[in-house]
């Protein structure tokens, strides 16, 4: 898949996990790691930026940032370090614990007590590879505006790089996901679906299969 | 292959408002498939000589893995730690999570082991949506007919009936897990029409349906008190009873240190997904890194019957450009919304909403006959005419396909102004382990759910049925596994089935140097160790 001698631009020299690697400029950091024989790069999943697995720390000169390796390209002189997967979650809840929609705000404060302590340092916003307005989302959640907060996290891939950037240990990705889930759990009641479920309750679907018309 | 136009020439000739000639008369679909579909490539199919499907047709590269030696032997298991659980789920995608949640809801202690990280799967990449017959003019019966017809009537009607009947309840269950779906102004679930279907039936969350589903299920599993999750623990072999006839557990290997551990259990649910990363017939793939067909290999060695091993889905619209995204998908939802396919001459050549195998074969025909578009970076493709769609429905791409825009933005392409170059990509394994409506394979104690299972989609799957299948059959398998086998569990765990398979290979004179499952594609340098 990767051939570091193929034509198409000057080879790029960079460092991945401490190992010097030569790559082609159009390669992503993942491809460069494979082509360069960097061992044990298994924190890789979808290769298209939606699974959030290939978290890297990136150094360009004085500038240090975080990114997803599958959508970051090889550049001369940069250093990339694959990060370990996120630590286990500190929060614990099951949606079935919720019985009354009036209690959501109170329960939210118990589950994510850190969410109200945001100091607006922008670390989460800077670290998000998807450009999510994380800080605004957290403020909306802290104010009990769960639907709007959840919408802010639509494109979240749960890489949790925001989490690692937060000095107050808010887990923003999980807060965003909580907001989305609680909104669906309590408020998504589509009439067309409910009507069909009711029809099926009265007359369950049965098919022998041989009635199928050609 | 005759050479068509260069990318630059085709782009210079392209006009989003160009007049289109009427669609030319279409040739017989069976002829089209037999000439141009990759399943029909010369030399791509062989016949299996050993195992439960001996004598059946099988794709050549897959046959090599099914008729390979195990990667472990009894001696490797000495000293391996043993863990007991009620239900072992192998695989952490949508089917595995649905199975784990359903089993735990029914009182089982569940261990979910996954090769990469929980949620790293093909599910997370699914864009288009999930089928459920909920609109007034639609019915489960119609859904069933569409599924069987698109599958060329090779699907098992009992399985299809179970799946389509589950549809609306699956959507309710997903909402109860906290999954969001797009709604109309009046609050109904918004539906789209998929290729090869008779009614709008796809419900979705923008073009992030799989991402939304996967992050919700991952959180539900991770937070569930009855489920334990082991990341980076692929299964390298199943375990059988002393006669090699019942599945009683599995051997897992840690990706971190390669150490083996034994899991002893009442039932095993295989939810290992597909095999796109085997790059069958040299095609690029839309699949995630772990899709190497491990589940088929393990099930076959254990003696489970498989089906449709010579039938794969090549999704018509894989990206060609840029190279690092080669094979990655552009959702069929965009054709459902009205986007057309154009050849290098700027003309339509197929009804874009025909079933995927037909559209795929038609694209390959255009390219092979010199009506393809060739970028400098290699490969060939045809246009997916997104600018024309945007002209007709301004703002549609941003509203309904944010994922497409986000991904192409990274690559410096704006599909609102520039058509997208696409070519078929290896997407889905139509067949798999033979199951019944409970997800039980032909081996006692072994269940299969999701892409690793077969019999539902026949020889071609329609959009949205994969997400429905993984949840519907994932839950069925989870429930059946949780409620089954209230005996006192296995007495002896052995590799008797491995010995049996090795004897069969030796008797047939097949080589014993090839080993499977493969676990990771070779280009990951998985074998290299510091």
């Amino acid at each position: 898949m990767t051939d570091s001698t193929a034509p198409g631009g000057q080879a790029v020299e960079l460092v991945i996990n401490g190992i010097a690697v030569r790559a082609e400029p159009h390669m992503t950091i993942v491809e460069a790691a494979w082509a360069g024989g960097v061992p044990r790069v298994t924190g890789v999943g979808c290769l298209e930026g939606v699974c959030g697995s290939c978290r890297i720390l990136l150094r360009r000169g004085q500038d240090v940032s975080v990114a997803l390796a599958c959508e970051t390209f090889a550049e001369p002189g940069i250093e990339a370090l694959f990060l370990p997967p996120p630590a286990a979650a500190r929060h614990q809840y099951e949606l079935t614990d919720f019985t009354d929609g009036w209690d959501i705000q109170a329960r939210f404060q118990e589950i994510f007590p850190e969410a109200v302590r945001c100091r607006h340092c922008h670390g989460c916003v800077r670290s998000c590879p998807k450009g999510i307005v994380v800080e605004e989302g957290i403020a909306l959640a802290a104010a009990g505006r769960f639907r709007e907060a959840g919408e802010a996290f639509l494109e979240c891939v749960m890489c949790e790089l925001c989490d690692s950037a937060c000095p107050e240990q808010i887990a923003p990705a999980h807060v965003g996901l909580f907001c989305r889930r609680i909104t669906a759990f309590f408020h998504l009641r589509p009439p067309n679906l409910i009507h069909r479920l009711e029809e099926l309750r009265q007359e369950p679907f049965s098919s022998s299969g041989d009635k199928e018309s050609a | 292959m005759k050479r068509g136009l260069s990318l630059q020439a085709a782009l210079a000739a392209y006009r989003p408002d160009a007049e289109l000639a009427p669609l030319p008369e279409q040739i017989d679909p069976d002829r089209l498939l037999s000439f141009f579909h990759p399943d029909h490539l010369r030399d791509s199919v062989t016949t299996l000589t050993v195992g439960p499907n001996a004598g059946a047709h099988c794709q050549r590269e897959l046959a090599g893995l099914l008729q390979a030696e195990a990667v472990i032997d009894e001696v490797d298991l000495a000293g391996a730690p043993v863990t007991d659980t009620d239900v072992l789920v192998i695989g952490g995608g949508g089917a595995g999570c649905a199975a784990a949640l359903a089993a735990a809801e029914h009182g089982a202690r569940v261990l979910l082991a996954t090769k990469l990280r929980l949620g790293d799967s093909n599910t997370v990449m699914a864009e288009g949506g999930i089928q459920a017959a909920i609109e007034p003019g639609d019915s489960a019966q119609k859904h069933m007919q569409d599924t069987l017809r698109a599958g060329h009537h090779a699907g098992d009607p009992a399985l299809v009936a179970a799946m389509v009947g589950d549809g609306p309840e699956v959507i309710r269950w997903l909402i109860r897990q906290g999954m969001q779906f797009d709604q109309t102004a009046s609050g109904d679930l918004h539906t789209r029409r998929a290729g090869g279907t008779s009614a709008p039936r796809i419900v979705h969350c923008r073009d992030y349906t799989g991402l939304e589903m996967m992050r919700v299920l991952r959180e539900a599993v991770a937070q569930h008190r009855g489920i334990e999750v082991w990341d980076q623990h692929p299964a390298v072999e199943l375990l059988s009873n002393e006669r090699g006839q019942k599945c009683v557990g599995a051997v897992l290997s840690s990706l971190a240190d390669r150490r083996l551990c034994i899991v002893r259990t009442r039932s095993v649910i295989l939810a290992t997904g597909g095999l796109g990363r085997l790059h069958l017939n040299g095609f690029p793939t839309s699949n995630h890194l772990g899709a190497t067909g491990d589940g088929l290999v393990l099930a076959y060695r254990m003696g489970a019957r498989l089906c449709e091993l010579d039938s794969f889905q090549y999704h018509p619209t894989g990206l060609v450009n840029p190279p690092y995204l080669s094979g990655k998908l552009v959702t069929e939802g965009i054709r459902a919304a009205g986007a057309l396919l154009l050849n290098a001459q700027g003309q339509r050549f197929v009804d874009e909403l025909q079933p995927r195998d037909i559209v795929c074969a038609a694209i390959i025909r255009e390219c092979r006959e010199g009506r393809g578009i060739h970028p400098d970076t290699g490969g060939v493709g045809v246009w997916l005419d997104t600018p024309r769609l945007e002209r007709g429905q301004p703002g549609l791409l941003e509203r309904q396909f944010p994922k497409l825009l986000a991904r192409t933005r990274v690559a410096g392409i704006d599909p609102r102004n520039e058509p997208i170059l696409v070519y078929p990509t290896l997407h889905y394994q139509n067949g798999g382990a033979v199951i019944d409506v409970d997800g039980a394979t032909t081996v006692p104690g072994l269940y299969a759910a999701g892409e690793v299972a077969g019999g539902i989609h026949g020889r071609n799957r329609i959009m949205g049925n994969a997400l429905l299948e993984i949840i519907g059959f994932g839950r069925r398998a989870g429930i059946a596994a949780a409620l089954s086998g209230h005996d006192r569990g296995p007495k002896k765990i052995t590799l008797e089935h491995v010995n049996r398979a090795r004897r069969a290979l030796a008797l047939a004179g097949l080589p014993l140097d090839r080993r499977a499952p493969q676990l990771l594609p070779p280009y990951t340098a998985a074998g290299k160790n510091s």
Side-chain angles (χ1 to χ4, degrees):
Chain A
M1 176 168 177
T2 44
D3 177 0
S4 53
T5 58
Q10 285 262 288
V12 169
E13 294 189 357
L14 68 163
V15 175
I16 301 175
N17 287 3
I19 296 170
V21 168
R22 274 169 71 86
E24 281 185 74
H26 65 73
M27 282 181 177
T28 65
I29 299 293
V30 172
E31 290 174 320
W34 289 341
V38 179
R40 289 185 178 171
V41 175
T42 53
V44 174
C46 72
L47 299 168
E48 62 172 63
V50 295
C51 79
S53 278
C54 57
R55 306 151 20 112
I56 48 169
L57 192 68
L58 204 58
R59 194 177 66 73
R60 288 184 184 90
Q62 296 293 307
D63 181 36
V64 175
S65 59
V66 287
L68 295 177
C70 73
E71 42 184 29
T72 304
F73 298 93
E75 293 169 39
I78 61 171
E79 279 183 49
L81 184 67
F82 279 82
L83 295 171
R90 292 176 298 275
H91 61 281
Q92 215 288 314
Y93 72 95
E94 289 182 27
L95 284 183
T96 45
D97 300 342
F98 290 79
T99 50
D100 185 349
W102 291 93
D103 295 340
I104 302 174
Q105 288 205 24
R107 293 278 291 116
F108 173 76
Q109 306 293 351
E110 290 166 25
I111 298 164
F112 296 104
E114 311 87 1
V116 295
R117 293 189 214 131
C118 173
R119 6 171 149 164
H120 307 284
C121 69
H122 303 303
C124 53
V125 180
R126 274 196 302 270
S127 65
C128 179
K130 297 291 155 186
I132 294 170
V133 287
V134 185
E135 214 173 270
E136 285 174 37
I138 296 301
L140 287 166
R145 310 193 72 86
F146 299 117
R147 182 189 296 273
E148 295 156 72
E151 196 52 37
F153 285 92
L154 169 73
E155 300 194 294
C156 175
V157 298
M158 303 301 292
C159 65
E160 301 181 45
L161 287 169
C162 54
D163 195 359
S164 58
C166 182
E168 290 292 344
Q169 296 201 306
I170 303 171
H174 289 280
V175 169
L177 185 53
F178 172 89
C179 295
R180 293 187 64 82
R181 293 181 74 201
I182 207 77
T183 300
F185 185 77
F186 277 108
H187 301 298
L188 188 52
R189 293 293 179 272
N192 54 352
L193 171 65
I194 294 171
H195 186 68
R196 181 52 49 83
L197 284 166
E198 182 55 21
E199 285 178 348
L200 288 169
R201 191 181 66 82
Q202 288 173 15
E203 196 183 337
F205 173 63
S206 70
S207 173
S208 61
D210 52 14
K211 280 180 287 183
E212 202 267 330
S213 61
Chain B
M1 184 184 293
K2 277 202 247 166
R3 194 164 166 89
L5 282 183
S6 75
L7 182 68
Q8 290 83 349
L11 206 52
Y14 169 81
R15 295 277 175 280
D17 54 353
E19 194 83 19
L20 294 180
L23 197 58
E25 200 171 320
Q26 300 294 297
I27 69 163
D28 173 50
D30 290 334
R31 265 174 68 85
L32 181 70
L33 290 177
S34 68
F35 279 116
F36 296 105
H37 195 278
D39 282 348
H40 298 275
L41 283 177
R42 208 155 45 87
D43 297 336
S44 87
V45 172
T46 182
T47 303
L48 290 167
T49 46
V50 298
N53 287 66
H57 288 306
C58 181
Q59 200 280 339
R60 182 174 297 278
E61 287 142 299
L62 175 59
L65 291 182
L66 294 180
Q67 302 184 135
E69 253 278 70
V71 296
I72 60 161
D73 208 338
E74 267 129 4
V75 64
D76 299 312
L77 296 183
V82 180
T83 303
D84 284 292
T85 187
D86 295 337
V87 174
L88 170 66
V89 179
I90 302 174
C97 287
L101 287 166
E105 282 165 14
H106 286 78
R109 277 179 310 157
V110 179
L111 173 62
L112 187 155
T114 182
K115 177 159 57 184
L116 299 170
R117 189 180 66 138
L118 182 64
D120 286 0
S121 59
N122 288 337
T123 305
V124 75
M125 291 186 278
E127 300 177 356
I130 174 168
Q131 294 228 20
I134 56 168
E135 293 291 17
D138 196 10
S139 67
Q141 190 68 40
K142 283 188 181 175
H143 187 177
M144 177 155 171
Q145 286 168 10
D146 288 345
T147 302
L148 287 169
R149 188 181 302 128
H152 303 279
H153 297 276
D156 176 345
L159 296 181
V160 177
M163 180 183 76
V164 301
D166 285 349
E169 181 55 39
V170 160
I171 305 301
R172 168 160 62 184
W173 184 82
L174 287 167
I175 292 172
R176 288 186 61 80
Q177 303 302 316
M179 177 170 173
Q180 294 195 8
F181 292 95
D182 285 6
Q183 291 170 276
T184 65
S186 58
D188 280 340
L189 291 181
H190 181 257
T191 54
R192 284 202 282 245
R193 198 184 142 206
T197 63
S198 55
R201 189 184 296 137
I202 301 278
V203 296
H204 61 98
C205 176
R206 255 61 62 94
D207 59 347
Y208 283 115
T209 312
L211 171 61
E212 170 73 356
M213 177 185 285
M214 197 65 250
R215 65 190 167 201
V216 162
L217 293 180
R218 182 201 284 147
E219 187 84 340
V221 165
Q223 294 284 317
H224 200 292
R225 297 167 185 102
I227 304 173
E228 191 175 340
V229 177
W230 290 4
D231 282 333
Q232 301 235 323
H233 274 80
V236 294
E237 193 49 69
L238 295 173
L239 291 163
S240 56
N241 65 0
E242 54 264 73
R243 285 172 300 140
Q245 282 162 348
K246 181 175 189 294
C247 181
V248 297
V251 181
L252 310 179
S253 159
S254 161
L255 275 194
D257 57 14
R258 309 250 155 94
R259 252 183 250 184
L260 298 178
C261 48
I262 291 169
V263 178
R264 199 162 47 184
T265 172
R266 288 206 305 253
S267 4
V268 173
I269 301 174
L270 284 175
T272 49
L275 49 55
R277 287 283 155 187
L278 300 179
H279 297 285
L280 303 182
N281 301 320
F283 268 73
T285 184
S286 60
N287 287 187
H288 81 115
L289 186 67
T292 51
D294 306 352
L296 291 182
V297 170
L298 299 184
Y300 197 65
R301 194 175 291 131
M302 181 56 104
R305 208 150 52 79
L306 312 179
C307 66
E308 312 295 353
L309 296 171
D310 54 349
S311 173
F312 296 85
Q313 181 165 81
Y314 295 79
H315 192 293
T317 55
L319 288 170
V320 179
N321 234 351
Y324 79 96
L325 286 177
S326 161
K328 290 301 184 175
L329 278 202
V330 180
T331 173
E332 180 174 325
I334 203 144
R335 277 177 287 137
L340 303 177
L341 292 167
L342 306 179
N343 61 23
Q345 294 155 4
Q347 294 304 324
R348 291 179 68 197
F349 52 89
V350 68
D351 170 1
E352 290 78 3
L353 288 181
Q354 285 287 304
R356 286 177 174 174
D357 53 350
I358 305 280
V359 179
C360 160
I363 293 174
I364 291 174
R365 177 191 61 197
E366 293 306 296
C367 294
R368 217 184 279 169
E369 295 180 351
R371 295 184 297 277
I373 298 156
H374 300 255
D376 294 341
T377 44
V380 60
V382 297
W383 289 136
L384 180 66
D385 193 355
T386 42
R388 184 183 301 268
L389 178 69
E390 179 73 11
R391 271 174 66 88
Q393 302 175 63
L396 177 86
L397 288 177
E398 192 163 9
R399 273 197 316 279
Q400 289 201 20
F401 302 98
K403 178 177 169 188
L404 175 66
L405 290 189
R407 185 142 35 120
T408 48
R409 194 180 305 128
V410 177
I413 298 169
D414 186 347
R416 289 170 294 196
N417 305 322
E418 197 179 309
I420 304 173
L421 198 58
V422 294
Y423 190 77
T425 178
L426 179 55
H427 185 52
Y428 191 82
Q429 151 191 312
N430 293 321
V434 171
I435 54 167
D436 66 11
V437 292
D438 287 326
T441 69
T442 56
V443 172
L446 184 63
Y447 297 79
E451 192 170 343
V452 69
I456 294 163
H457 310 293
R459 298 184 66 79
N460 179 53
R461 178 175 66 74
I462 47 182
M463 165 188 180
N465 268 352
L467 289 188
L468 176 57
E469 179 200 355
I470 59 174
I471 306 301
F473 276 95
R475 295 187 62 216
R476 283 171 175 267
I479 293 167
L483 301 180
S484 81
H486 279 294
D487 55 23
R488 268 169 293 142
K491 291 186 181 65
K492 198 165 177 209
I493 49 174
T494 77
L495 290 176
E496 184 47 39
H497 64 290
V498 172
N499 300 332
R500 181 179 60 208
R502 184 182 304 126
R503 284 195 295 273
L505 288 177
L507 275 175
L510 288 166
L512 293 171
D513 51 354
R514 180 100 195 254
R515 288 174 186 269
Q518 187 178 302
L519 303 186
L520 287 170
Y523 48 77
T524 62
K528 290 195 190 177
N529 226 328
S530 47

